[in-house]
């Protein structure tokens, strides 16, 4: 009755779109944004705004272009007043990732032109969301702690400004630089699950708000952006470096997955994990507080020793936890911070999708019964 093809579970190895935003070599552990290796952004302390510009325009900005672009983003940091009312009404126990998902969806109500898909309008909404996500997260964080949200400023860069909105005080240079590097490293990563979700939604010609709301939902799961808080809980459970080997042994014997380990594409160390590891080490040296570095390194060594035979190594989420933790950021903000970075890549992909759209509509392999008959209620017998 149906023409059948067999299922490719998890779409592993399936190429569903073309992109010029990032290239990944999973065997060699390489990642490049628009052709530029990821390490170069980290080494040159590229500001997050520069990477956003690169991903949206596919070229590096001049100094003047970057200044204009950064000012344009900063000018859109304020939330429409009703958004603050909504945030105040949310339960203080809500997961910040769920808050972000709902807030992004609600933001569409206060946009006069949310559904128009011209390149200019899509870029306008992309800039607005990129600028407002940190404001939403910081506002909810403060409300949850019984503090009033602080009004956005225009004079700080993206990362520093987020830290300012969290605490109400200008952050130290070291913390702002650490968060900026994190945001740069997570900004884009090919056809990952949340980007795919965004492109599927955009493929129906639905609006940017819908696509980003869906992407946030996909990012929330532990197999994707939900891993870093779980890495933190694991590190806390391990407690001390000398206990790591036995802890990992026991976890694997109990068939548990080691969070922050394994990747669908990388079959060696994730290049972002290598950079984050060095950053965690550096923060430890600068602060004379080696606990998180030594603990993470011990868990990584114990896990990789046992799992590398299966091609499983640490991924970006592993060292995200000790990095953001040592910057003093709360554990349940780790995944929202991933979203705050990845909005750049999501929206870059939406621009590509809308510019050359075709409905994304794969097939399912039918494995249910065939040639059955409809039986009227009175003739049906209960089964099971
Ligand atoms: N710890 C232990 N074993 C793991 C593992 C982990 N973190 N990740 C995968 N494996 C094992 C699986 O048990 C499976 O083993 P088997 O073949 O003996 O059954 C094998 O590796 C393949 O796993 P599979 O789930 O098919 O791989 P995937 O490509 O679908 O999954 C992830 C990729 C990322 C979802 C998976 O590695 C994972 O769950 N990692 C932990 C969560 C995480 O860090 N997520 C963030 C990703 S950036």
């Amino acid at each position: 009755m149906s023409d059948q093809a067999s299922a490719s579970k998890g779409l592993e190895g399936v190429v569903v779109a073309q992109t010029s935003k990032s290239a990944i070599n999973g065997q060699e552990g390489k990642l490049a944004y628009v052709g530029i290796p990821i390490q170069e952004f980290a080494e040159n302390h590229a500001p997050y705004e520069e990477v956003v510009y690169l991903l949206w325009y596919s070229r590096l900005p001049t100094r003047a272009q970057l200044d204009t672009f950064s000012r344009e983003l900063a000018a859109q940091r304020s939330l429409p007043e009703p958004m603050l009312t909504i945030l105040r009404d949310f339960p203080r126990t809500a997961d910040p990732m769920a808050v972000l998902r709902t807030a992004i969806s609600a933001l569409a109500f206060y946009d006069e032109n949310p559904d128009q898909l011209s390149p200019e309008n899509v870029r306008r909404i992309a800039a607005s969301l990129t600028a407002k996500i940190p404001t939403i997260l910081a506002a909810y964080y403060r409300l949850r702690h019984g503090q009033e949200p602080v009004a956005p400023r225009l004079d700080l860069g993206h990362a520093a400004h987020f830290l300012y909105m969290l605490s109400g005080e200008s952050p130290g240079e070291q913390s702002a630089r650490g968060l900026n590097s994190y945001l740069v490293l997570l900004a884009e990563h090919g056809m990952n699950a949340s980007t795919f979700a965004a492109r599927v939604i955009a493929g129906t010609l639905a609006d940017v708000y819908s696509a980003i709301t869906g992407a946030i939902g996909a990012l929330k799961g532990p197999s994707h952006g939900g891993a870093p808080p779980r890495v933190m809980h694991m590190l806390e459970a391990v407690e001390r470096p000398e206990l790591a080997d036995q802890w990992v042994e026991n976890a694997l014997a109990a068939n548990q997955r080691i969070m922050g380990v394994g990747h669908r594409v990388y079959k060696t160390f994730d290049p972002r994990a290598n950079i984050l590891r060095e950053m965690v080490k550096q923060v430890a040296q600068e602060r004379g507080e080696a606990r998180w570095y030594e603990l993470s390194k011990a868990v990584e060594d114990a896990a990789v020793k046992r799992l590398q035979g299966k091609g499983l190594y640490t991924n970006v989420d592993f060292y995200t936890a000790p990095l953001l933790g040592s910057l003093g950021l709360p554990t349940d903000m780790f995944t929202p911070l991933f979203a705050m970075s990845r909005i750049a890549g999501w929206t870059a992909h939406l621009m590509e999708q809308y510019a050359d759209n075709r409905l994304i509509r794969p097939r399912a392999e039918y494995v249910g019964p065939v040639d059955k008959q409809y039986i009227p209620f009175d003739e049906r017998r209960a089964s099971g």
Side-chain angles (χ1 to χ4, degrees):
M1 173 162 154
S2 66
D3 51 336
Q4 286 272 342
S6 62
S8 166
K9 201 171 177 194
L11 296 183
E12 182 161 6
V14 175
V15 176
V16 296
Q18 292 186 321
T19 182
S20 61
K21 303 306 174 188
S22 66
I24 306 170
N25 182 327
Q27 293 304 325
E28 293 177 23
K30 290 181 179 166
L31 168 64
Y33 293 162
V34 195
I36 304 170
I38 189 82
Q39 290 81 355
E40 298 192 15
F41 298 97
E43 282 161 14
N44 291 290
H45 304 294
Y48 175 72
E49 292 89 324
E50 186 180 19
V51 170
V52 179
Y53 186 103
L54 172 71
L55 292 171
W56 289 355
Y57 296 101
S58 295
R59 60 171 193 274
L60 285 171
T62 62
R63 166 61 61 199
Q65 284 169 332
L66 180 59
D67 287 348
T68 308
F69 183 68
S70 303
R71 274 200 301 275
E72 187 200 327
L73 285 181
Q76 299 186 65
R77 286 173 174 162
S78 293
L79 301 178
E81 195 51 40
M83 285 300 300
L84 285 169
T85 309
I86 295 176
L87 290 173
R88 278 180 215 285
D89 286 346
F90 286 155
R92 295 193 174 172
T93 49
D95 172 4
M97 196 58 180
V99 166
L100 181 64
R101 184 192 58 211
T102 301
I104 294 298
S105 180
L107 260 183
F109 305 148
Y110 309 105
D111 187 323
E112 286 176 359
N113 194 12
D115 293 314
Q116 213 242 22
L117 302 178
S118 70
E120 298 73 30
N121 201 44
V122 168
R123 211 197 67 84
R124 177 189 66 79
I125 298 172
S128 171
L129 291 178
T130 304
K132 288 180 176 60
I133 286 178
T135 316
I136 293 168
L137 295 177
Y140 180 67
Y141 174 82
R142 289 182 67 85
L143 289 168
R144 193 162 65 137
H145 289 89
Q147 297 168 309
E148 270 304 292
V150 297
R153 279 165 50 173
L154 296 175
D155 59 331
L156 291 170
H158 201 72
H161 187 257
F162 172 70
L163 294 173
Y164 163 70
M165 281 192 298
L166 272 190
S167 68
E169 288 166 19
S170 294
E173 205 187 310
Q174 217 181 55
S175 305
R177 185 178 271 198
L179 180 61
N180 178 74
S181 300
Y182 168 77
L183 295 176
V184 163
L185 291 175
L186 275 283
E188 156 61 11
H189 205 232
M191 196 54 72
N192 58 88
S194 54
T195 300
F196 181 52
R199 287 188 80 138
V200 168
I201 294 169
T204 70
L205 297 178
D207 63 292
V208 176
Y209 292 95
S210 299
I212 299 302
T213 303
I216 292 171
L219 185 69
K220 193 167 174 287
S223 296
H224 193 6
R230 289 166 172 85
V231 172
M232 201 59 173
H233 298 142
M234 171 178 72
L235 295 177
E236 285 162 354
V238 175
E239 262 184 272
R240 297 202 304 275
E242 58 273 24
L243 303 177
D245 205 65
Q246 193 60 53
W247 194 95
V248 169
E249 177 78 28
N250 294 346
L252 291 176
N255 269 331
Q256 285 172 26
R257 290 194 171 205
I258 310 298
M259 287 291 119
V261 172
H263 200 275
R264 177 59 68 77
V265 182
Y266 293 118
K267 299 305 164 200
T268 179
F269 288 101
D270 181 329
R272 301 163 300 171
N274 290 336
I275 300 171
L276 290 173
R277 185 191 303 105
E278 282 311 302
M279 286 171 61
V280 173
K281 189 174 175 184
Q282 204 183 325
V283 172
Q285 282 162 354
E286 282 164 1
R287 301 198 172 173
E289 163 58 73
R291 176 170 184 247
W292 289 118
Y293 174 69
E294 286 173 0
L295 191 52
S296 338
K297 187 71 175 64
V299 174
E300 177 181 48
D301 290 346
V304 170
K305 182 172 82 178
R306 291 173 173 83
L307 294 170
Q308 62 184 344
K310 283 186 172 184
L312 300 170
Y313 295 81
T314 34
N315 61 50
V316 69
D317 291 338
F318 189 83
Y319 279 102
T320 287
L323 178 73
L324 298 183
S326 49
L327 293 178
L329 292 158
T331 304
D332 63 1
M333 289 288 263
F334 292 177
T335 309
L337 279 160
F338 192 155
M340 177 174 141
S341 165
R342 186 55 61 82
I343 184 69
W346 288 334
T347 45
H349 277 264
L350 292 183
M351 292 170 198
E352 289 188 319
Q353 187 67 40
Y354 289 129
D356 184 24
N357 186 57
R358 188 158 190 239
L359 178 74
I360 300 173
R361 204 297 187 192
R363 302 278 300 270
E365 178 186 3
Y366 179 71
V367 294
V370 290
D371 297 334
K372 303 265 283 182
Q373 274 186 323
Y374 181 84
I375 305 167
F377 278 118
D378 294 344
E379 294 168 31
R380 274 180 223 172
R381 279 202 305 246
S383 63

